[in-house]
Amino acid sequence: MRKRRTESVRFGAREQLVCVRHSAVVSVMNSKTGILVLGDQLSWHHPVLVGADPTDVVVILAEVAEEATYVRHNRHKIALIFSAMRHFAQALEARGFTVAYSRFKEGVPSLLSACERARDAWSLTALHVCEPGEYRLSEQMGGWGQRLGIAVTLHEDTRFLSSKEDFSHWARGRKQLRMEYFYRDMRKRYRLLMQGDQPEGGKWNYDANNRQGWRGQVDIPERSAPVLDALTQEVIAEVATAFPDYPGDLSTFRWAVTAEEAEQELDWFCEHALPLFGTYQDALAEASPWLFHGLISMYLNCGLLEPLPVCERVEAAYRRGHCSLAAAEGFIRQVLGWREYVRGIYWLYMPDYRQRNALTATRPLPDWFWTGETQMRCLSRALKQSLDLGYAHHIQRLMVIGNFALLAGLDVEAVCDWYLAVYLDAFEWVELPNTLGMALFADGGIMASKPYAASGKYMQKQGDHCKSCSYDPKQVTGDQACPYNSLYWHFIDRHRDVLSQNPRMGLIMGGWRKRASSDREAIVQWGEQVLKRLPSL
Ligand code: DLZ
């Protein structure tokens, strides 16, 4: 399928490279060969598994403390990954593979120790691994050959639609790496939503149609959820016991743990939610954490779904008249454009990227980031659902939580660690550029052409939280004033030197300068008070 849709526009000979690597793997495999499959690589398209003869290899899957505790992962994420790993192990065995599986209870501390155990148990002479999604682990693996005393081969992760080489090729010589242009090339390359050489409908981007606020206009469909089998229930109980202090209300666990279940979730989305996905994709609703969102990013990120077939399903829904072009385009842009783009940025700029803090934001995270106990209604709702469910949609992540962190100057590293911990779909390759670059503008504008800063007016426009909030979005100063308002102007004022140089901020900076100095002082002073009272807002 991928071959049929792919055109090698601008990106070079990726398909050929992949094939060469696959045949090389097949030819060296024998019964002394191990394949380590990580918890976010649970796919039959895994670049090493895809070419492996089940009778020839030992597949290693390991639930280990090092991966489960390097941040305080949401328990939904741990349970989803462990259960999906156990189900994938069963599926591998059903296809005749020998599987060396370590459950968490066995106390294997790290992936390296799991490989050592498998090496000793099966007298392995070679280990094949698909490159990990996080720099941290990739660095560790560099030393594995020496530690294990056997040949260790890392393989390109071919489950992405733009390889690291593709992306650096695209980025080379460009002054700015704007997602929009990358996305257009990807549309051409994969021939998605195209009419000949032109974008379907004549425009590349239909975002302007996708920004409706929520006023309870339509019924939100009740979400389907997979039935939890005995294996998943067992995992949930184990995770609850092993990680008592980690976030996540496991009584609400509702995630797919196999490719088949993830496929059914995608079916449900395409049938019931996709038609209104675009219209309300930026909306904030009291009534539902899910609205019309896809809820499939975690399945894409751990291997249960593949990005191209997902995009093709959505395109097909549009072609048969089931959804608008704006809905299909908005969705496909997230998967084909944004997801691939952030991964490209991550690998292009790591490891330095993680250290960036362009606006020198160092204020400690208020404790309520870990409880959701703040009187700001929109923020409280977004935080609580993130902690309890491991999920928040992109506007909650970017414009409610991220925007608050940006305005308040919260410590960049602490905020990034928080995002990595709480979200079900968070792996550093996707989390770091989204948080550090997009939400916090800490990369100085590599990703975003201006900071995503907004006052309480935005929350009011996008949803219905303000109606049940103790603060008033119309007031800027005073005890009742929405804290986003004075913090917004405080942010504009304290970064005025940097922001004034940004052409996209010209209007706002000009407006701020023109205000009476007494007004500006009063607002900034109130913003200062708000920052002092941050822990009790
Ligand atoms: C996220 C995660 C967790 C919680 N646990 C495991 C695990 O026990 N075993 C494993 O192989 N993978 C796990 N993962 C996913 C890894 O952290 C992920 O593969 C790396 O962060 C690279 O993206």
Side-chain angles (χ1 to χ4, degrees):
M1 186 66 109
R2 181 176 297 184
K3 276 224 162 69
R4 186 176 66 78
R5 298 301 304 252
T6 305
E7 281 196 352
S8 294
V9 186
R10 303 171 66 118
F11 289 90
R14 171 172 174 264
E15 302 294 321
Q16 199 187 343
L17 183 77
V18 172
C19 289
V20 169
R21 289 193 183 174
H22 285 174
S23 46
V25 173
V26 175
S27 66
V28 296
M29 292 224 180
N30 56 49
S31 58
K32 306 284 187 223
T33 299
I35 303 173
L36 173 66
V37 175
L38 303 177
D40 54 353
Q41 299 175 344
L42 307 174
S43 164
W44 296 112
H45 297 269
H46 184 288
V48 193
L49 279 181
V50 87
D53 180 341
T55 55
D56 273 356
V57 296
V58 177
V59 181
I60 306 160
L61 282 143
E63 300 168 11
V64 299
E66 194 166 71
E67 293 309 305
T69 61
Y70 70 91
V71 285
R72 291 179 70 227
H73 294 290
N74 197 301
R75 299 191 296 177
H76 281 267
K77 178 178 174 185
I78 304 177
L80 168 57
I81 288 183
F82 285 5
S83 181
M85 285 171 72
R86 291 184 196 184
H87 282 88
F88 193 62
Q90 285 182 344
L92 283 163
E93 280 169 347
R95 289 196 186 189
F97 282 95
T98 302
V99 179
Y101 197 97
S102 319
R103 286 193 173 198
F104 193 73
K105 272 199 261 192
E106 292 170 49
V108 179
S110 65
L111 292 167
L112 178 62
S113 349
C115 293
E116 279 166 349
R117 274 164 52 131
R119 175 201 60 195
D120 296 344
W122 303 92
S123 306
L124 301 180
T125 55
L127 179 71
H128 291 268
V129 189
C130 168
E131 61 183 352
E134 298 195 345
Y135 188 87
R136 160 192 71 81
L137 198 51
S138 168
E139 278 290 280
Q140 284 181 28
M141 284 181 180
W144 277 17
Q146 212 171 22
R147 295 284 298 273
L148 288 167
I150 59 175
V152 176
T153 311
L154 275 190
H155 298 262
E156 182 188 346
D157 191 343
T158 48
R159 296 171 305 134
F160 287 90
L161 299 173
S162 168
S163 70
K164 293 175 189 172
E165 281 114 309
D166 291 341
F167 192 82
S168 37
H169 185 263
W170 174 81
R172 204 163 300 140
R174 285 176 193 260
K175 274 202 198 127
Q176 292 187 321
L177 303 183
R178 293 289 167 251
M179 197 289 288
E180 185 63 28
Y181 297 106
F182 171 78
Y183 165 61
R184 292 178 189 184
D185 284 348
M186 292 291 278
R187 287 266 297 277
K188 290 183 207 155
R189 180 184 179 191
Y190 284 95
R191 305 220 42 76
L192 282 161
L193 292 179
M194 297 295 294
Q195 285 170 326
D197 289 348
Q198 295 304 308
E200 180 75 15
K203 286 199 300 183
W204 290 104
N205 184 317
Y206 291 87
D207 233 6
N209 304 27
N210 289 346
R211 291 194 186 123
Q212 281 241 1
W214 185 253
R215 301 284 177 267
Q217 299 92 322
V218 289
D219 289 339
I220 302 168
E222 204 173 311
R223 281 275 157 181
S224 75
V227 175
L228 309 182
D229 67 8
L231 194 50
T232 299
Q233 288 179 25
E234 188 184 15
V235 168
I236 289 172
E238 285 175 27
V239 170
T241 311
F243 304 93
D245 306 330
Y246 282 30
D249 172 5
L250 285 170
S251 71
T252 62
F253 189 92
R254 42 101 53 239
W255 309 111
V257 292
T258 64
E260 294 71 29
E261 286 177 353
E263 216 31 74
Q264 284 160 16
E265 292 291 282
L266 177 65
D267 286 347
W268 187 92
F269 166 69
C270 287
E271 191 54 36
H272 302 285
L274 177 60
L276 287 176
F277 162 79
T279 313
Y280 298 113
Q281 73 171 6
D282 287 2
L284 296 166
E286 279 285 312
S288 164
W290 324 116
L291 274 165
F292 300 90
H293 288 277
L295 271 61
I296 59 150
S297 50
M298 52 292 244
Y299 309 136
L300 285 168
N301 293 355
C302 69
L304 300 184
L305 289 177
E306 296 287 316
L308 190 56
V310 165
C311 292
E312 288 171 336
R313 285 285 305 280
V314 170
E315 179 179 22
Y318 158 69
R319 300 256 177 232
R320 72 182 151 91
H322 185 61
C323 68
S324 66
L325 178 55
E329 189 281 314
F331 183 92
I332 288 173
R333 179 151 27 91
Q334 296 304 316
V335 178
L336 179 74
W338 192 252
R339 182 171 183 271
E340 299 287 334
Y341 168 80
V342 294
R343 178 175 182 261
I345 293 283
Y346 178 76
W347 286 108
L348 196 61
Y349 288 101
M350 278 298 277
D352 300 347
Y353 199 75
R354 213 182 192 292
Q355 313 307 324
R356 289 179 183 241
N357 191 347
L359 300 176
T360 44
T362 54
R363 196 177 301 279
L365 235 57
D367 288 348
W368 43 258
F369 258 70
W370 292 104
T371 62
E373 294 298 335
T374 162
Q375 292 169 75
M376 288 173 274
R377 181 71 179 180
C378 56
L379 193 48
S380 170
R381 292 293 286 219
L383 291 170
K384 280 193 173 146
Q385 76 171 73
S386 303
L387 294 162
D388 289 347
L389 309 173
Y391 175 82
H393 64 70
H394 79 125
I395 288 298
Q396 292 177 307
R397 296 190 203 195
L398 179 66
M399 298 309 292
V400 180
I401 304 174
N403 177 33
F404 185 87
L406 171 76
L407 301 183
L410 300 186
D411 183 73
V412 169
E413 194 181 344
V415 177
C416 290
D417 284 349
W418 185 89
Y419 273 80
L420 187 59
V422 300
Y423 292 113
L424 194 59
D425 53 9
F427 297 92
E428 200 184 61
W429 65 266
V430 60
E431 173 278 321
L432 194 66
N434 270 311
T435 314
L436 186 149
M438 192 68 182
L440 303 180
F441 204 66
D443 67 5
I446 292 175
M447 285 187 64
S449 53
K450 70 179 180 70
Y452 275 78
S455 69
K457 253 193 225 149
Y458 177 87
M459 315 305 158
Q460 194 184 21
K461 185 161 81 62
Q462 290 311 119
D464 57 359
H465 294 311
C466 296
K467 280 197 279 181
S468 1
C469 186
S470 348
Y471 296 109
D472 180 353
K474 292 196 196 73
Q475 295 185 39
V476 181
T477 57
D479 285 336
Q480 296 305 305
C482 169
Y484 280 95
N485 289 339
S486 57
L487 288 182
Y488 175 78
W489 292 114
H490 193 279
F491 171 81
I492 294 290
D493 192 68
R494 77 177 181 272
H495 295 298
R496 59 187 178 277
D497 291 345
V498 176
L499 299 181
S500 297
Q501 289 164 29
N502 184 323
R504 293 199 63 204
M505 296 296 291
L507 218 58
I508 287 161
M509 301 313 291
W512 179 240
R513 271 196 306 271
K514 277 188 205 138
R515 287 177 84 150
S517 62
S518 54
D519 274 8
R520 278 188 275 144
E521 263 166 43
I523 294 171
V524 169
Q525 265 175 27
W526 186 256
E528 206 51 56
Q529 289 303 311
V530 169
L531 286 173
K532 283 197 185 117
R533 290 191 293 141
L534 216 52
S536 59
L537 282 182

